[in-house]
Amino acid sequence: MSLKREAAWVVRSARRAARPAVSMAAVGRGGVDPDGVGYAPHHTSTVKRWEEAASDLTYWNVRRYEFLLGLPHGQLTCAVDHLARWRQPVRQQAVLRPPEARPVAETLELLEKALSTERMTGADWDLLTDDLGRMPHPLVRDRDWEAMLRRLVAECVVNLDVEYLLRDEAAARLAGHPRSGQIVARFVRSVIDDPGSQFFNDTLTLLQFTDEPQALGILAEQLREPANDHALRACLFALTTLARGRRLPPQYLRDVVPSALRLVRDTSLPYRVQRGAANVIRSVASDVGVQLATALSLEDQRAAASILLSGRAVDRDTLARMKRGVRAHMDAGVADTWDEPELQLLVDTALGSTDEHDRGMALSVLMLVPQGHWVGRAQAQQLREALAADDDVAALETLAVLSWLVQSEDAPLLVDLALDPTRPAALAAEAATVLGNITDRDAGQAVDADRRLALGIFTALRGIPDDTRRLGARTGATPDAVLRVHGFAYALGMRGRFDLMAGIRNSPLLTDHEYGAELAGILDYWLDLPEHIRPPAGEP
């Protein structure tokens, strides 16, 4: 399937799902957007050719759809960028850009803004990183380049939806620039060495965009002696992407495979670490994977065996049942798009694949197109069924999808799951994290949930009875209290409830806790966020 066809599907789906309805004739009529950009009239037959991939879509064609459909700036162009990155992880430029060159003065203005304490928008980052990506040797000091990257990653943590994905794409461009290798390695090293670091995934996965020897050295080190489970999972993600792109040196592969074999067989590790190790083996040694899958099946590690054989943690029947659930939820506005191959590929990958890169790109696109809403509704039902069956692995896989596609209607379910003391800490923390990704919650319900989560932190500090079903419980594992508080703090931080976190931070329950330093570090991360990065303060 070509990118040209997929881009045509993006704009076609957006128009057909628009409410009120927007015809091809209306798209052709054009108009003038609030920025004063004019869109010249085009015959309906021209619009039809755009939507059928019979002619190329330009940047301004796609922006026309965003304007006429009332979509945020960059929503559809960002979907096309992520479809392109799915095929080509290392790419420094946007796929679609205006043919006219941007003045250097505008690039410099954005660069100065990025290095200041002014707020940046996702559109700002999109333009700046594309401009820099088109320069083979941008005249920017290394420390300024690193400062931009650090700020961009920090903003990825606290933004959602289109604003998050524009920054996600911008960070990938910046990290994949030829001059970024050593800078990325230095940035990642500082995060690993800082005991106060909270979010490893957004930083360590930048290693997938460079084959700089220093960066590869960090991956090798973390594979042997990881800083924590989060760092290990992120490194396995990066290794899989590098291996699939044939960017790992042969001598490096000799060390990777034995380490991944050890990890995939270690049942004391969290499921997502085992999943990442299985993906690495499947990418670099498929013959070994087939043999190992047989042994794992005999050892009742069916999920890992399925990943090694097919790249999926669920069997075909389960995947088919989940897809029927999505189809049943789709409304009349998008129901007739179900059989389109572009959508089928996205849904198959989002629900079935365990490869973090593929799944992330599919979920990114679904977040930006109308069908994503219905995938999210179906996955919420899937989560209820997994919880009723006490299937923690299925619940974690479903929450991984909902972290991208969660809807406001799911908030009560997630609050109850996060605060359920009988559930494993990893599951409760993940539910709280997904809750933090809801952008349009009912104000009254959100305030009540904030208070319940704050009380949940105090409960975690007082101690929740050990759960024999805890996922990944072992010597050296992240303590339950730390897992729960990390998730709850994320949900409160994304709502801007710094008032509640400040009260918890000063509580003797925290300062006198066995893991008081780690718990304080979690809250301090949010309380110390610079004003130009932190989410707006929530309603008390």
Side-chain angles (χ1 to χ4, degrees):
M1 192 179 303
S2 69
L3 181 61
K4 181 178 178 178
R5 278 188 57 185
E6 290 173 333
W9 174 81
V10 166
V11 297
R12 183 173 73 244
S13 293
R15 181 187 62 77
R16 290 168 66 179
R19 294 293 179 272
V22 176
S23 65
M24 284 194 282
V27 173
R29 280 195 290 273
V32 180
D33 71 17
D35 294 327
V37 176
Y39 298 90
H42 284 285
H43 194 275
T44 303
S45 62
T46 300
V47 178
K48 186 178 181 181
R49 286 197 296 275
W50 293 340
E51 296 192 6
E52 293 179 350
S55 62
D56 290 332
L57 276 167
T58 67
Y59 171 80
W60 290 115
N61 293 155
V62 179
R63 286 286 296 122
R64 169 192 292 260
Y65 278 84
E66 291 176 349
F67 158 54
L68 293 170
L69 301 180
L71 299 175
H73 182 112
Q75 179 163 329
L76 301 183
T77 56
C78 190
V80 176
D81 276 327
H82 278 80
L83 285 165
R85 192 166 297 283
W86 192 348
R87 292 174 169 79
Q88 184 184 1
V90 181
R91 181 175 44 78
Q92 296 86 48
Q93 304 171 7
V95 173
L96 300 174
R97 264 294 165 256
E100 57 274 12
R102 276 171 42 81
V104 174
E106 293 184 11
T107 304
L108 290 174
E109 184 179 347
L110 282 175
L111 178 61
E112 290 175 2
K113 187 177 180 181
L115 296 172
S116 74
T117 56
E118 286 188 68
R119 280 194 177 266
M120 291 278 283
T121 66
D124 289 338
W125 285 115
D126 181 44
L127 289 170
L128 175 58
T129 55
D130 180 61
D131 288 348
L132 295 173
R134 295 175 188 277
M135 302 176 186
H137 305 289
L139 297 177
V140 181
R141 295 175 299 186
D142 278 2
R143 66 171 180 267
D144 290 338
W145 195 273
E146 183 174 344
M148 276 196 299
L149 192 56
R150 285 178 176 272
R151 175 175 177 175
L152 193 43
V153 170
E155 291 190 17
C156 281
V157 172
V158 299
N159 278 275
L160 299 170
D161 294 343
V162 181
E163 286 295 312
Y164 161 70
L165 288 174
L166 285 168
R167 288 169 170 83
D168 175 63
E169 167 66 14
R173 291 178 197 160
L174 210 57
H177 196 283
R179 71 167 294 176
S180 288
Q182 292 186 13
I183 294 172
V184 167
R186 187 165 61 243
F187 177 22
V188 170
R189 168 57 62 197
S190 70
V191 169
I192 291 171
D193 291 345
D194 181 0
S197 294
Q198 297 300 318
F199 294 93
F200 290 84
N201 195 64
D202 296 275
T203 304
L204 270 66
T205 52
L206 295 176
L207 296 171
Q208 70 182 298
F209 301 116
T210 178
D211 54 6
E212 167 68 34
Q214 291 180 26
L216 295 179
I218 293 174
L219 288 172
E221 166 206 293
Q222 290 299 302
L223 205 55
R224 293 190 305 269
E225 298 180 28
N228 53 50
D229 292 338
H230 301 294
L232 180 54
R233 178 188 166 198
C235 285
L236 291 167
F237 176 177
L239 280 169
T240 301
T241 307
L242 287 165
R244 289 182 54 184
R246 302 183 185 279
R247 290 183 288 130
L248 282 178
Q251 69 274 16
Y252 192 79
L253 292 175
R254 288 196 293 270
D255 297 328
V256 167
V257 174
S259 295
L261 285 170
R262 171 178 52 82
L263 295 172
V264 82
R265 301 196 75 153
D266 186 348
T267 56
S268 72
L269 287 168
Y271 163 68
R272 288 180 174 174
V273 171
Q274 287 186 288
R275 182 182 71 182
N279 283 325
V280 170
I281 295 170
R282 179 174 168 79
S283 298
V284 302
S286 56
D287 54 336
V288 174
V290 172
Q291 299 172 32
L292 180 60
T294 303
L296 291 174
S297 296
L298 296 174
E299 297 168 11
D300 203 26
Q301 293 192 57
R302 294 185 181 87
S306 177
I307 294 168
L308 290 167
L309 290 173
S310 63
R312 296 192 305 268
V314 298
D315 57 45
R316 292 183 181 277
D317 290 342
T318 302
L319 179 59
R321 178 169 54 82
M322 289 194 292
K323 289 178 66 177
R324 287 194 297 271
V326 176
R327 178 66 182 85
H329 277 81
M330 291 175 70
D331 75 349
V334 294
D336 56 352
T337 69
W338 175 248
D339 292 325
E340 295 182 322
E342 296 85 0
L343 179 59
Q344 288 294 307
L345 176 61
L346 290 171
V347 173
D348 280 347
T349 306
L351 301 187
S353 177
T354 60
D355 182 284
E356 301 259 20
H357 172 72
D358 288 352
R359 191 182 210 178
M361 292 300 101
L363 287 167
S364 296
V365 177
L366 284 170
M367 186 190 285
L368 296 167
V369 298
Q371 291 89 342
H373 172 83
W374 305 107
V375 177
R377 299 304 307 125
Q379 284 296 285
Q381 181 58 38
Q382 184 72 20
L383 175 60
R384 291 183 177 90
E385 294 174 7
L387 295 173
D390 250 2
D391 188 339
D392 294 333
V393 169
L396 275 175
E397 288 289 355
T398 305
L399 286 168
V401 176
L402 286 173
S403 68
W404 301 78
L405 304 178
V406 65
Q407 308 296 319
S408 58
E409 303 96 313
D410 306 329
L413 169 66
L414 293 167
V415 173
D416 289 343
L417 175 56
L419 296 173
D420 186 345
T422 69
R423 296 290 180 181
L427 197 58
E430 189 69 15
T433 299
V434 174
L435 179 69
N437 289 345
I438 299 178
T439 56
D440 55 351
R441 291 156 65 190
D442 174 84
Q445 289 183 356
V447 170
D448 178 65
D450 294 342
R451 292 170 180 155
R452 290 179 65 192
L453 287 171
L455 290 173
I457 291 181
F458 282 116
T459 301
L461 294 179
R462 291 190 183 98
I464 293 175
D466 285 341
D467 183 357
T468 56
R469 296 186 308 111
R470 177 181 165 195
L471 298 180
R474 70 188 191 286
T475 302
T478 304
D480 281 1
V482 175
L483 281 172
R484 292 179 190 273
V485 172
H486 194 280
F488 295 173
Y490 178 84
L492 292 173
M494 293 300 285
R495 279 264 303 142
R497 295 309 306 269
F498 306 108
D499 56 329
L500 292 176
M501 284 194 283
I504 298 166
R505 177 65 178 84
N506 297 322
S507 166
L509 274 175
L510 186 144
T511 54
D512 298 340
H513 196 278
E514 178 184 3
Y515 302 108
E518 290 178 72
L519 297 168
I522 293 169
L523 298 178
D524 286 343
Y525 172 86
W526 290 98
L527 294 171
D528 293 343
L529 277 176
E531 192 65 36
H532 61 283
I533 293 178
R534 63 162 54 187
E539 179 182 348

